[in-house]
Amino acid sequence: MRRRVVSVTTIVLVWLMLVQPTAAMASPCWQPPVGGTVAVPFSAPACWYCAGHRGIEYAVASSTAVRAVAAGTVTYSGTISGVMYVVVRHGNGWKVTYGKLVSSDLRRGDRVVARSRIGQATGRMYFGLRIGGEYRDPTPYFGRPAGRPRLVPVNGSRHRSASLSVWRCRHLG
């Protein structure tokens, strides 16, 4: 009888892990870390040491605030060859790199929450994503605001306030 209970419990646990995704397993829907245009898109290198652009680079105004895309823990904050970077490890193990920063008050071990301030960008801002040590294109994980359209009166009468927009992501394959 005990063996049967253990077997059924094991089957249920495996089913829950495979069929019911947890928050850590679900695909994220992030807001971009800065408001700006992508100046340099992701370009996967042919090999781990080959040339490529292992993230995306935004063109932004100097001193633009850089925001965290999700909650996590800072694993690195410092400069490499005179360029400031902050790396945040999320609960699902993914690592996100925020680079080309002018400044950041974060230190290793600090916890960040989604949309909290990471630092300030130079005229460019680098954003990279590593999953299991492999660089990935982060753009499929960014959503876009999607609100309900509204009509604005043209006769000068008072208009209703805009409804809050929701954040929608495209389907991740």
Side-chain angles (χ1 to χ4, degrees):
M1 178 68 175
R2 185 173 180 183
R3 181 179 246 171
R4 181 179 289 172
V5 171
V6 171
S7 297
V8 170
T9 304
T10 303
I11 290 170
V12 169
L13 288 173
V14 169
W15 179 79
L16 285 172
M17 288 177 10
L18 294 175
V19 176
Q20 302 293 323
T22 64
M25 296 161 79
S27 294
C29 185
W30 294 329
Q31 292 184 31
V34 291
T37 58
V38 175
V40 182
F42 178 83
S43 176
C47 61
W48 69 271
Y49 59 86
C50 294
H53 199 264
R54 290 165 171 81
I56 56 177
E57 200 168 303
Y58 290 93
V60 295
S62 290
S63 300
T64 296
V66 177
R67 303 278 176 194
V69 296
T73 304
V74 175
T75 60
Y76 179 81
S77 179
T79 58
I80 300 172
S81 297
V83 180
M84 180 163 217
Y85 292 93
V86 173
V87 178
V88 176
R89 185 177 193 270
H90 300 290
N92 59 6
W94 294 9
K95 289 184 179 179
V96 169
T97 302
Y98 304 88
K100 298 195 175 185
L101 303 176
V102 173
S103 65
S104 177
D105 295 330
L106 296 174
R107 301 291 171 252
R108 184 173 190 212
D110 287 350
R111 301 206 30 97
V112 297
V113 296
R115 307 309 300 153
S116 63
R117 190 181 179 102
I118 296 292
Q120 288 182 300
T122 61
R124 294 286 182 115
M125 187 267 162
Y126 171 84
F127 183 81
L129 169 65
R130 284 179 286 164
I131 301 174
E134 180 182 330
Y135 289 94
R136 299 276 185 88
D137 183 1
T139 53
Y141 301 102
F142 291 129
R144 61 180 175 78
R148 195 176 83 198
R150 67 185 176 109
L151 300 175
V152 178
V154 294
N155 64 1
S157 63
R158 185 171 166 83
H159 61 82
R160 294 183 302 177
S161 60
S163 62
L164 294 175
S165 61
V166 294
W167 207 253
R168 295 219 172 105
C169 276
R170 55 186 156 240
H171 175 70
L172 298 172

